[in-house]
Amino acid sequence: MNPSSLPASPPAKTPTDPNTTAGSHARKPFYKQLFFQILVAVLLGILIGHFWPDLGSSLRPLGDGFIQLIKMIIAPLIFLVIVTGISAVGDVKAVGRVGVKALLYFTGATLFALVFGLVVGNVIQPGAGLNIDPATLSQDALDAKTGTAPPKDAGQFLLGVIPTSMVGAFASNSLLQVLCFSVFFGAAIVVVGRERCLPVVTLLETVLELFFKIMGWVMRVAPIGAFGAMAFIIGQYGLDSLGTYAVLIAACYGAALVFIALLFFVAWVYPRVPLWQFVRYSREEFLLALGTASTESVLPRIMAKLTNAGCSRATTGLVVPTGYSFNLDGAALYLSISLLFLAQAFGHSLDLGQQLAALGILMLTSKGMAGVPGSAFLALSATAGALGIFPVAGVALLLGADRVMDSMRVVVNLLGNCVATFVVAKWEGQFDREAMLAAFSGESTTAGGPPESPAAVGLPSAADDGGPAAADAPDAHAAADGVQPAGLR
């Protein structure tokens, strides 16, 4: 969107930095910071899982419980952020452009990740020399992991995006279905008219602030969730699995490092985002994602950080949830390298035509992987079955290494979606670089003005990190009265 086409608005205010208490630049003691608490929890989880594996394995409910608390608020939070964001932009065509540009970026990024993974697999050849005998394989282990669910074809996947029921979409926590309904609802507000729908928009803004308050409470137990999840992973799978798949793990992590370097380059060249500063700014979210081996655990928080860093609420609300299904760069790297690993382990060398065919299949099967149990195995099984080069049961060889790959996938997936949000926001003219620099520098107030309302910028209050909420914050419904928050201009 051309910024000049948007309604005039007052001077931009610097968004609140969620790492400081409202109205103060004073940092909390390091032991009260969420990043330190999660780091200690992750390290303790590794120690418990390694030295007392039975105890570590029994701590899984702590991690699962925290993930369920996050999932409890994800669907309504996405709905509220998208609807209020679209209503603030007031341009249905602009929302459509954001969606199209996001899908174009996602397609290009996923294709590049898959091709890059194939290049790495051909150069490193992680499965060469293993000479696995197909007769020794069992389909049972693979069926247990995937639940024998058949992979969706393109038609089924597209139909699955459309909810058969509004209530069903929220009840099943289907992010794409919630996204689809939210876009229709927000667009309806724009078409009917913001003035006529002002009571609804005001109510949604208030409810959004309530959900961020709930998120603040949930985040207080994040260290406990990270501790339980890490203790379970190490206790269940152990550190010994690192040696068994050493070449495959090294290939995946090496490819991830190079891909991350490319993301840094893309972020700096186009939207001019110093990605290292963003990672430092969002260090709590990245560490929590690592500790819980799940990007879903930080979905609300990373959306808040992106909004605070200058991306419009509408762009963030559309790009991030969609990217969780369409832009899994880390998973794409893992799939292509693992496919060549399996082929090489069975003594097959895929020619260019076979690799191109595999690339097309993986492009389709990799979509909609988020939140699907055993999704990577389903994608690889579908590819193996289509190519017919090695038995589908051979995918079970990856069971031992899959958990070790979680850290790589989580970081690359999360960082890839953050870069996508910055790129699309800049592309659409909905990126405020000054707000980004202010957020990175830790400024939480404007010159001579109070901190901005958390709900107005789509942010949790300072209570997220244990600090008090802003008592002097302006009216949470400023946006509803025609004042557009920073980043929406």
Side-chain angles (χ1 to χ4, degrees):
M1 175 186 297
N2 189 335
S4 62
S5 66
L6 292 170
S9 53
K13 293 191 286 183
T14 303
T16 304
D17 183 352
N19 292 316
T20 62
T21 56
S24 171
H25 292 284
R27 292 278 179 177
K28 287 183 284 186
F30 71 92
Y31 56 86
K32 288 186 177 181
Q33 294 181 15
L34 185 61
F35 176 79
F36 177 78
Q37 294 172 358
I38 295 175
L39 180 61
V40 171
V42 168
L43 294 176
L44 286 176
I46 292 174
L47 292 175
I48 294 292
H50 180 62
F51 292 105
W52 298 281
D54 291 338
L55 175 61
S57 298
S58 67
L59 294 176
R60 179 174 184 174
L62 294 179
D64 289 351
F66 173 71
I67 298 295
Q68 287 181 221
L69 284 173
I70 291 292
K71 288 184 174 181
M72 174 182 72
I73 62 174
I74 281 181
L77 197 58
I78 287 176
F79 170 76
L80 292 167
V81 168
I82 292 176
V83 171
T84 55
I86 292 176
S87 65
V89 172
D91 187 345
V92 176
K93 292 182 179 179
V95 173
R97 288 199 305 269
V98 169
V100 171
K101 290 175 180 178
L103 291 177
L104 287 175
Y105 179 90
F106 293 159
T107 302
T110 302
L111 180 61
F112 179 82
L114 288 170
V115 171
F116 183 62
L118 289 177
V119 172
V120 171
N122 281 293
V123 173
I124 304 298
Q125 299 206 352
L130 291 181
N131 299 319
I132 303 296
D133 182 5
T136 62
L137 301 174
S138 172
Q139 184 74 26
D140 296 338
L142 183 62
D143 289 344
K145 181 71 175 179
T146 61
T148 66
K152 293 182 178 180
D153 58 30
Q156 289 177 313
F157 173 74
L158 292 175
L159 287 175
V161 174
I162 305 172
T164 56
S165 161
M166 179 195 74
V167 176
F170 285 89
S172 63
N173 241 4
S174 175
L175 297 190
L176 288 180
Q177 291 187 0
V178 171
L179 181 70
C180 178
F181 174 74
S182 303
V183 170
F184 276 105
F185 196 94
I189 290 178
V190 174
V191 173
V192 172
R194 185 180 176 85
E195 293 301 320
R196 289 185 61 190
C197 299
L198 191 57
V200 175
V201 176
T202 303
L203 174 63
L204 293 177
E205 290 279 359
T206 304
V207 175
L208 177 61
E209 188 170 5
L210 293 177
F211 268 92
F212 275 125
K213 175 63 70 175
I214 295 172
M215 188 179 76
W217 294 337
V218 171
M219 290 307 297
R220 293 184 181 185
V221 300
I224 298 175
F227 167 73
M230 186 56 67
F232 165 73
I233 291 172
I234 301 300
Q236 184 75 17
Y237 298 95
L239 298 174
D240 298 336
S241 58
L242 294 173
T244 308
Y245 300 91
V247 179
L248 174 62
I249 293 170
C252 287
Y253 276 85
L257 289 175
V258 176
F259 193 86
I260 288 173
L262 293 172
L263 288 176
F264 272 71
F265 178 76
V266 170
W268 178 249
V269 167
Y270 184 57
R272 304 289 290 176
V273 174
L275 204 54
W276 174 250
Q277 292 185 38
F278 175 76
V279 172
R280 183 176 179 275
Y281 174 64
S282 306
R283 58 190 180 277
E284 294 168 355
E285 287 71 32
F286 279 91
L287 184 59
L288 181 58
L290 277 172
T292 57
S294 169
T295 53
E296 279 192 337
S297 64
V298 298
L299 176 58
R301 292 264 302 192
I302 205 66
M303 290 173 66
K305 287 292 179 72
L306 287 165
T307 305
N308 203 42
C311 298
S312 75
R313 201 186 335 171
T315 300
T316 302
L318 286 170
V319 174
V320 176
T322 308
Y324 266 52
S325 288
F326 282 90
N327 192 43
L328 301 175
D329 297 332
L333 281 174
Y334 171 68
L335 287 175
S336 53
I337 295 175
S338 297
L339 178 69
L340 290 184
F341 166 80
L342 292 172
Q344 293 159 6
F346 288 103
H348 297 287
S349 179
L350 302 185
D351 58 31
L352 180 60
Q354 290 171 320
Q355 292 192 34
L356 290 176
L359 184 65
I361 298 170
L362 288 174
M363 274 293 291
L364 294 175
T365 56
S366 62
K367 301 305 179 188
M369 288 175 58
V372 180
S375 54
F377 296 97
L378 286 171
L380 287 171
S381 298
T383 308
L387 294 176
I389 296 173
F390 57 87
V392 173
V395 178
L397 288 175
L398 295 170
L399 290 173
D402 187 65
R403 273 293 187 176
V404 182
M405 302 295 184
D406 275 340
S407 298
M408 179 275 291
R409 290 194 296 250
V410 162
V411 171
V412 178
N413 288 345
L414 185 58
L415 195 60
N417 281 319
C418 292
V419 172
T421 306
F422 282 119
V423 169
V424 174
K426 172 68 174 179
W427 192 358
E428 187 59 19
Q430 296 188 36
F431 176 56
D432 186 342
R433 194 167 189 273
E434 291 184 3
M436 176 200 72
L437 294 175
F440 290 173
S441 66
E443 298 176 16
S444 59
T445 59
T446 59
E452 186 155 8
S453 164
V457 294
L459 276 172
S461 69
D464 282 356
D465 294 331
D472 57 347
D475 186 4
H477 309 304
D481 295 329
V483 179
Q484 291 183 329
L488 285 178
R489 287 179 286 278

